Amino acid sequence: MRPSRTHLVLIPTYNAGALLLRTVREARAAWAPVWVVVDGSTDGWDAALAPIEAGDPGLRVFRLPRNAGKGAAVLHALREADRLGFTHALVMDSDGQHPADRIGEFMAASAAAPEAMVLGQPVFGADAPLERVLGRRLSNWWADLETLWAGIGDSLFGFRVYPVRPLLEEMTRHRWMRRFDFDAEAAVRLCWRGVQPMKLPVPVRYLSRAEGGVSHFHYVRDNLLLAFMHLRLVLGFLPRLPRLLRRRLAGRPG
């Protein structure tokens, strides 16, 4: 596969176990280049990537010394991507939830509308925990309000193609978006900036422990983080309301 010079796949990972290798192999079968950011993992599985990286010019692995959060891992790679001239990054999880076989479809949609962000809209199966499905509806409602229903859809689903420079500028400007709050806040702030959301359906899997599934979601901690995030965003939304209304009436996002 000939590596793209504009679009890359970015996989932040923390203690994903053997699923990391499967995800990386599937992503590389679908796209090049693929970058992996090991966010201070301690399970040792990232060591297995070293011989793969050595023999595969389409794979690059970054290793952070300590766990800083998904958003921080993404930011680390965005700085390098921007320096090298990449314009778009498809971010996906390393835990087997996101289907690598949809990478090409998302990259094609991004190439056709480079000014947009391409947002995956999860199609949940019976394996999805009910409390997670119901909980994200609340976050989605707040994100819709904060953008005047600009079309984000699912605010927490992390299979997305972002334009590198706008996202990098937003993350550099604000000290947040470094942990579990990354996905929702990134989408809202890019909408405020005028980046058009484009939605594509994606099946999502919640793997059982027997299948190697892992989850680093902490119900109390991460819901408090989301609550604080939406409080910040609502406070940012209010002074932007007149401009957002004008844009929405004109049929534009944000």
Side-chain angles (χ1 to χ4, degrees), residues 106 109-110 113 116-120 159-162 196 198-200:
F106 273 61
S110 175
M117 52 179 166
V118 185
L119 308 180
F159 191 84
R160 297 171 170 175
V161 184
Y162 293 104
Q196 175 73 47
M198 177 189 301
K199 296 181 290 187
L200 293 177

Side-chain angles (χ1 to χ4, degrees), residues 2 5 48 52 56 67 99 114 139 154 161 195 202:
R2 187 171 183 175
R5 295 184 178 182
I52 302 174
D56 183 357
N67 178 247
S139 182
D154 194 289
V161 184
V195 176
V202 178

